[in-house]
Amino acid sequence: MNLRNYLNTIKPKFERNGRLHAFWSMFDGFESFLYVPNTTSKTGTNIHDSIDSKRIMSMVVLAVIPAMLFGMYNIGYQNYAAAGQLGNASFGNMFIFGFLALLPKIIVSYVVGLGIEFAWAQWKHEEIQEGYLVTGILIPLIIPITCPIWMLVIAIAFAVVFCKEIFGGTGMNIFNVALSARAFLFFSYPSRMTGDAIWIAKNSIFGFGYTLPDATTMATPLGQIAQGASVPYSISDMVIGLIPGSVGETSVIAIAIGAVILLWTGIASWKIMLSVFVGGGAMAYLFNILGMTSISWYEHLFLGGFCFGAVFMATDPVTAARTEKGKYIYGAMIGMMALIIRVMNPGYPEGMMLSILFANMFAPLIDYMIVQNNINHRMKRLTAKK
């Protein structure tokens, strides 16, 4: 109550003709973060709901926390495993090491991204939008833990400015912002995004973990498959997530918890999630029959960023298809394209990032075709009645 009263007291200073009016966007963003806005629409026809964009973003962040927490533990696990010291490491040591390794990237992600959001809102005299609350946590989870901070800063700046703000901000962007940052890194600095030497945090932090030699490598399962090798991991390792990979993408169980939260709250579309897995599973099964892949069709769904992409990236309501039939087509396209890229192009052993960005580009066309098809059917019925 005291905070609310204090904000009401200083608010006139930030409003029009106030001496701090230039910083209205910053004050409004801070106030709306703390409290639900009480402003109402004064013109036009409006539908009011009990949830706003801030609450939606908060639920997505909550849903991704299990994958983030397990990712922190897996960072430490992979470091101790590479050093041959798993038997001497406790759960706490592994988790703290991963926490200290990932925390700077999360802080930098939010500082840089929100800093650009604030500056852009001030420049355009607009309200600060909440979209980066989700993007800021997703970007550190979909890059290798060894990605340098300076590269992360450049990628975030590129994604926020060129893939979000120039399209009009939250709700207007064509491509998923987090994946755009990863794509920028992937094509600009490929040696830091692919290969065997980027998946293990090699330096000890405040006495936690081990300093490993630069020659230490640990290929992801998909990377080993692309090189023609067999995967030395069991199904349980794949499902639990004790394998090398991007921070948040390894644990199927943690991602499933996030999926349940998103579906239970109605934030994400089950139609998109289901069709991604059906499309990917069908294509993997076909490749398996044709002898074009060395692992079972269901293993493809557990490996890499397939689950993470299906749950948190493909379901982005801004860049996904919005018509109900279109969601099935959109999701199936993502799943099928991911497997086609994985199996038929060894240079891109993952495939999920490119397939989602590809589907983002076609989502408006899918919706347009669905709507036009409905219009044509209605026109035919109307003509038949006459």
Side-chain angles (χ1 to χ4, degrees):
M1 193 64 181
N2 292 333
L3 179 60
R4 178 69 271 177
N5 292 336
Y6 175 72
L7 292 176
N8 290 337
T9 301
I10 65 174
K11 189 172 185 177
K13 298 179 181 179
F14 294 90
E15 293 177 338
R16 187 177 297 276
N17 298 325
R19 59 190 180 89
L20 299 177
H21 172 66
F23 300 99
W24 164 251
S25 296
M26 185 177 297
F27 176 83
D28 179 70
F30 181 73
E31 182 186 33
S32 61
F33 177 78
L34 294 174
Y35 298 98
V36 177
N38 60 1
T39 54
T40 58
S41 303
K42 300 184 183 300
T43 60
T45 303
N46 299 275
I47 299 175
H48 294 271
D49 197 355
S50 60
I51 189 169
D52 59 5
S53 60
K54 180 175 64 178
R55 266 55 186 179
I56 292 175
M57 300 301 170
S58 299
M59 289 306 302
V60 178
V61 172
L62 177 64
V64 84
I65 284 178
M68 180 189 70
L69 293 177
F70 183 87
M72 291 177 176
Y73 168 75
N74 193 44
I75 292 170
Y77 179 90
Q78 298 301 327
N79 176 270
Y80 282 93
Q85 297 294 327
L86 281 179
N88 300 325
S90 66
F91 174 88
N93 287 342
M94 296 182 194
F95 181 82
I96 294 175
F97 174 78
F99 172 81
L100 294 174
L102 183 62
L103 183 62
K105 291 180 170 56
I106 295 177
I107 293 175
V108 167
S109 176
Y110 276 114
V111 169
V112 175
L114 290 178
I116 295 175
E117 292 262 16
F118 274 63
W120 194 278
Q122 290 293 131
W123 177 47
K124 301 289 288 185
H125 303 289
E126 299 174 345
E127 294 182 357
I128 296 172
Q129 300 166 339
E130 300 92 349
Y132 196 79
L133 289 177
V134 174
T135 304
I137 194 68
L138 289 179
I139 292 178
L141 299 184
I142 60 176
I143 61 174
I145 188 58
T146 55
C147 179
I149 294 294
W150 65 268
M151 281 174 45
L152 184 62
V153 171
I154 296 174
I156 291 171
F158 169 83
V160 173
V161 173
F162 292 99
C163 298
K164 181 181 180 183
E165 298 300 348
I166 65 172
F167 287 102
T170 300
M172 304 296 290
N173 49 289
I174 298 175
F175 298 102
N176 184 284
V177 179
L179 283 179
S180 299
R182 192 183 194 283
F184 177 87
L185 291 172
F186 185 84
F187 291 107
S188 299
Y189 307 99
S191 64
R192 296 298 188 103
M193 294 296 292
T194 59
D196 301 345
I198 62 171
W199 306 109
I200 308 175
K202 298 181 178 182
N203 297 323
S204 62
I205 306 175
F206 300 126
F208 295 96
Y210 286 84
T211 301
L212 306 177
D214 292 337
T216 303
T217 62
M218 186 73 73
T220 64
L222 288 175
Q224 293 175 323
I225 294 170
Q227 296 171 8
S230 58
V231 181
Y233 300 101
S234 64
I235 291 294
S236 61
D237 287 336
M238 298 177 189
V239 174
I240 295 172
L242 298 176
I243 57 178
S246 295
V247 178
E249 297 179 344
T250 61
S251 176
V252 176
I253 295 176
I255 295 169
I257 295 173
V260 171
I261 295 174
L262 293 179
L263 295 176
W264 180 60
T265 55
I267 301 298
S269 169
W270 66 267
K271 297 177 181 178
I272 293 177
M273 284 192 199
L274 176 63
S275 55
V276 171
F277 284 101
V278 171
M283 188 59 64
Y285 184 72
L286 176 61
F287 283 137
N288 197 256
I289 292 177
L290 297 176
M292 298 177 65
T293 180
S294 59
I295 63 175
S296 302
W297 64 271
Y298 54 85
E299 291 179 299
H300 272 290
L301 307 185
F302 296 153
L303 294 175
F306 195 94
C307 289
F308 193 89
V311 172
F312 296 107
M313 300 296 185
T315 57
D316 176 11
V318 176
T319 57
R322 304 186 183 188
T323 56
E324 296 306 310
K325 291 182 180 178
K327 291 176 181 178
Y328 289 113
I329 299 172
Y330 172 82
M333 177 186 293
I334 291 175
M336 296 172 69
M337 283 293 298
L339 266 294
I340 291 173
I341 295 171
R342 278 185 183 183
V343 176
M344 302 188 71
N345 191 339
Y348 300 99
E350 173 51 59
M352 200 62 180
M353 174 190 72
L354 296 178
S355 66
I356 294 177
L357 291 175
F358 182 83
N360 288 165
M361 183 171 58
F362 282 93
L365 178 61
I366 293 172
D367 285 338
Y368 174 80
M369 293 177 64
I370 296 296
V371 172
Q372 283 299 119
N373 185 60
N374 291 338
I375 292 174
N376 293 337
H377 277 300
R378 293 182 181 181
M379 290 299 295
K380 288 180 180 179
R381 288 200 301 267
L382 181 61
T383 304
K385 289 181 179 181
K386 292 183 179 180

